[in-house]
Amino acid sequence: MFRQAQLKLFAVITSILLAIFIAVLSSINIVTRSFMQRQSEEVLKKIAISTEYDDITDTFSFTPPEELHKKRNPIPQEKNQPPAPDNTDIPDKPDKPDDFPPYDKHKKEPVPKNFGSIEFFAIMADSNGNFIACMNNDELTEDTAQKYIDDILKLRHPTGMINSYQFYKTGKNNGYLIALTDKTEETKVMKQFIRTTIIIGALTVILLSFAGYFLSKKSIEPIKFAFDKQKQFISDASHELKTPLTVISANADVLSGEIGNNRWLNYIKSQTERMNLLVNDLLNLTRLENNSSDFIVSEFNLSQAVTNTALPFECQAFETNKKFIVDVEDGLTVTGSEKHIRQLTAIFIDNALKYSNDGGIVRVTLRKQGDKKILTVYNTGTGVKDSEKNKIFERFYRTDDSRTRQATGGYGLGLAIAKSIVDKHKFKISVENVEEKSIAFVVTM
C-alpha cells in the first residue's frame, strides 16, 4: 500500500517536472523562432516595397528606402523662399547607405544581393499568380518558383516560412513581388540549440526525478510508521479483547442455565456475538496485512470452492425474499489460498444479500476468459454513488448512513478484508455500478 502511495507521489513529482520542462522548451522554441523571423521580416518588407519589376525591359530595379521615403513624403518649401539654384553641372550627393551602390536620381539602380545582414532573392508573379521572373537566384527553376508562388499566395499573412525560406509578399501594379531569404543556417543553429537544451533538460529532469524518488520515500516514512503503530495497536487490542469477551459469553451461558430465558441476558449474548465478530474481522485484517495469516498457496478446484461457499446462502436468500442464482463453470482451477478465496467469496455474497432490494436478484458467476478466471457477484438494489466507488474498500466505510450497523450486522470491514485478500493474491478487482439499480464486484484471477 505504501509502496503504491510512494510511486504515485513520485509519478506526480515527475509529471510536474516533465510539464515544466516541456513548457520551458516550447517557450524557448517559440520565442527563438519568433525572434529569428521578426528580425528578418522588417528587412524583407523594405526589400519587397523598394523593389520594382519593369515588364517592358524585363528587369528589376531598386529604390533605397531612404529615397523612397523622400519621394512619398517630400519636404514642403516655405512661402516666399527663393527657388533652389539649378546646378545642373554639379552632381547630387545623396546619403550613401552602406548596403547599396551609389544612388543616382536620374537612373534606377539594380537590386543588390545583400541588404543589411541578410542575403535575399525575389520572385515576380503577375496578377494571376503566374511566374514572370526571378532575380538573385540563378539555380531556382521556373517550376519550383511557381510552386513557391502558389503556396505563398494561398496564405493570408504577408510573411511566413516556406521550406527553409522566410518570405514577404507585397502587391504591385503589375502583379506580386515576393522577397525571400534562406534561413537554413539559422534553422540549423536553432535546432542545435534545441537539441542541447533537450539534453541538458533531460539530464536535469532525471537527476531531479532521483531526488524526487528519495524525497517521496522520506515523506511516506512518517505515515508508514504511524500506520504500523495503528495496526499494532488494533492487533494488540483485538487479542486483549478476546479473553474478556469469552468470559462474558461463558458467564452469560451459565446465568441462562440457572435463571432461564431472560431478555437482559439475551441482549448481553447478542452484543457479545457482535463484538466477537468485530474482533475476529480486525484480527483477520491485521493478519493479512502483517503476513501472519495462515496463507497456504496451492492449486485447487476453484469451481468447487465457489459453489460450496455459495450454496449455504440459499437459505438466507429464501428467508429474505431474494432470488439467488449460482452459475459456475465446471473444472476451473487456480493457484492461491483456498481458505481466503472462499472467505472473499462469502464476503461478497453476504454483502450482496444485505444490500439488495426486497425481491431483488443476487447472482454469483464464475467464467473462464482466456487464461483468466472471472468471479462476479452481482445484486440489484441502490448500488453506490459513482463518487464513492473508490471508498467502499476502506475500513468502516458505509455508503448509506441511514443503514445502521444493527440492520446489516456488520462493521464495514468485510470489503476491506476482501480487498486485502485480492491484493495478497495479486488479483484485480473492479466495481461495475449502475447508480440506483445494481452493483457487481468482479475479481479477475
Side-chain angles (χ1 to χ4, degrees):
M1 179 176 65
F2 290 101
R3 177 69 174 174
Q4 292 177 351
Q6 179 192 345
L7 291 176
K8 286 181 180 179
L9 181 59
F10 171 68
V12 170
I13 294 173
T14 306
S15 299
I16 292 173
L17 290 174
L18 286 173
I20 294 173
F21 172 64
I22 292 171
V24 171
L25 185 63
S26 301
S27 301
I28 292 173
N29 186 24
I30 292 171
V31 171
T32 306
R33 284 182 181 275
S34 177
F35 177 76
M36 183 183 69
Q37 293 180 17
R38 185 60 62 86
Q39 192 176 25
S40 303
E41 179 182 340
E42 293 299 324
V43 180
L44 289 173
K45 182 178 179 181
K46 290 179 181 179
I47 294 170
I49 293 173
S50 302
T51 304
E52 298 291 341
Y53 177 76
D54 192 333
D55 295 323
I56 299 174
T57 61
D58 193 23
T59 57
F60 288 90
S61 60
F62 185 84
T63 303
E66 293 82 358
E67 297 299 330
L68 188 65
H69 180 74
K70 289 179 182 179
K71 286 182 179 180
R72 293 180 177 177
N73 301 281
I75 300 174
Q77 291 186 343
E78 296 182 3
K79 292 182 178 180
N80 302 323
Q81 183 177 357
D86 186 12
N87 299 324
T88 56
D89 297 332
I90 302 174
D92 291 332
K93 295 182 179 180
D95 294 337
K96 178 183 177 183
D98 294 337
D99 301 310
F100 313 112
Y103 176 74
D104 186 349
K105 71 177 182 179
H106 297 293
K107 78 171 185 178
K108 294 181 179 179
E109 295 292 337
V111 180
K113 292 185 177 182
N114 296 283
F115 184 71
S117 60
I118 69 171
E119 184 176 341
F120 70 93
F121 65 96
I123 301 174
M124 187 67 194
D126 62 19
S127 57
N128 295 322
N130 298 315
F131 171 75
I132 297 177
C134 174
M135 62 87 186
N136 287 350
N137 194 337
D138 297 333
E139 297 179 358
L140 185 68
T141 64
E142 184 175 339
D143 292 338
T144 304
Q146 185 63 56
K147 186 177 185 305
Y148 286 164
I149 292 170
D150 294 339
D151 293 340
I152 291 172
L153 293 183
K154 289 177 183 177
L155 302 175
R156 295 182 179 180
H157 300 289
T159 186
M161 294 291 297
I162 179 168
N163 294 342
S164 60
Y165 296 106
Q166 184 176 356
F167 68 86
Y168 189 93
K169 64 179 178 181
T170 184
K172 301 289 183 179
N173 293 331
N174 55 350
Y176 299 96
L177 188 137
I178 304 170
L180 302 98
T181 182
D182 190 355
K183 308 293 287 187
T184 302
E185 293 301 322
E186 291 88 341
T187 303
K188 286 181 180 178
V189 172
M190 189 182 71
K191 287 181 178 179
Q192 182 62 39
F193 173 72
I194 292 175
R195 278 196 297 268
T196 305
T197 305
I198 290 174
I199 293 171
I200 296 173
L203 291 174
T204 304
V205 169
I206 291 171
L207 291 174
L208 290 176
S209 296
F210 278 114
Y213 182 81
F214 175 77
L215 291 175
S216 64
K217 186 177 181 180
K218 285 292 183 184
S219 63
I220 291 295
E221 282 180 357
I223 303 173
K224 184 177 183 300
F225 178 78
F227 189 75
D228 288 340
K229 286 290 185 182
Q230 182 192 56
K231 287 198 300 182
Q232 187 62 44
F233 169 76
I234 292 173
S235 177
D236 294 343
S238 300
H239 280 290
E240 291 299 323
L241 286 171
K242 290 289 287 183
T243 300
L245 284 173
T246 304
V247 173
I248 293 171
S249 180
N251 288 335
D253 289 337
V254 172
L255 281 175
S256 179
E258 290 184 0
I259 64 175
N261 188 24
N262 182 282
R263 63 172 180 169
W264 307 113
L265 283 176
N266 291 334
Y267 293 156
I268 292 172
K269 287 182 178 182
S270 173
Q271 295 306 311
T272 303
E273 290 174 359
R274 294 188 68 246
M275 194 67 177
N276 264 319
L277 178 64
L278 172 61
V279 170
N280 288 329
D281 284 347
L282 286 172
L283 283 173
N284 287 332
L285 194 56
T286 303
R287 287 167 183 162
L288 282 167
E289 291 176 343
N290 292 338
N291 298 320
S292 59
S293 62
D294 186 17
F295 199 86
I296 301 173
V297 177
S298 62
E299 186 177 6
F300 64 95
N301 191 317
L302 179 62
S303 302
Q304 186 177 350
V306 171
T307 302
N308 292 341
T309 304
L311 290 179
F313 286 95
E314 286 185 339
C315 181
Q316 182 182 343
F318 177 78
E319 291 177 354
T320 54
N321 191 30
K322 310 287 173 65
K323 186 177 180 180
F324 190 62
I325 303 170
V326 179
D327 184 9
V328 175
E329 186 175 333
D330 294 331
L332 301 184
T333 61
V334 74
T335 300
S337 173
E338 181 176 359
K339 170 186 172 183
H340 289 91
I341 291 177
R342 282 174 176 267
Q343 184 181 7
L344 81 85
T345 304
I347 288 171
F348 286 134
I349 296 174
D350 182 61
N351 186 79
L353 288 170
K354 286 177 180 176
Y355 292 105
S356 58
N357 55 332
D358 186 39
I361 299 173
V362 175
R363 183 169 58 246
V364 181
T365 60
L366 179 65
R367 287 283 179 271
K368 185 177 181 181
Q369 191 176 87
D371 60 344
K372 300 175 182 178
K373 288 83 179 178
I374 312 295
L375 172 65
T376 305
V377 181
Y378 163 92
N379 69 273
T380 57
T382 57
V384 296
K385 296 178 181 177
D386 288 334
S387 59
E388 296 178 338
K389 282 175 64 175
N390 296 328
K391 299 178 181 179
I392 58 178
F393 294 108
E394 295 177 3
R395 297 179 182 185
F396 303 107
Y397 185 80
R398 288 185 171 261
T399 58
D400 190 350
D401 293 333
S402 65
R403 290 173 172 168
T404 63
R405 303 193 190 282
Q406 287 81 6
T408 59
Y411 287 88
L413 288 173
L415 292 180
I417 294 172
K419 181 66 165 57
S420 295
I421 294 172
V422 169
D423 292 341
K424 189 76 174 176
H425 284 86
K426 293 183 170 51
F427 294 158
K428 293 182 181 179
I429 187 169
S430 60
V431 181
E432 296 177 356
N433 177 64
V434 181
E435 200 167 330
E436 300 298 329
K437 289 186 178 181
S438 65
I439 186 171
F441 293 92
V442 182
V443 179
T444 303
M445 307 182 192

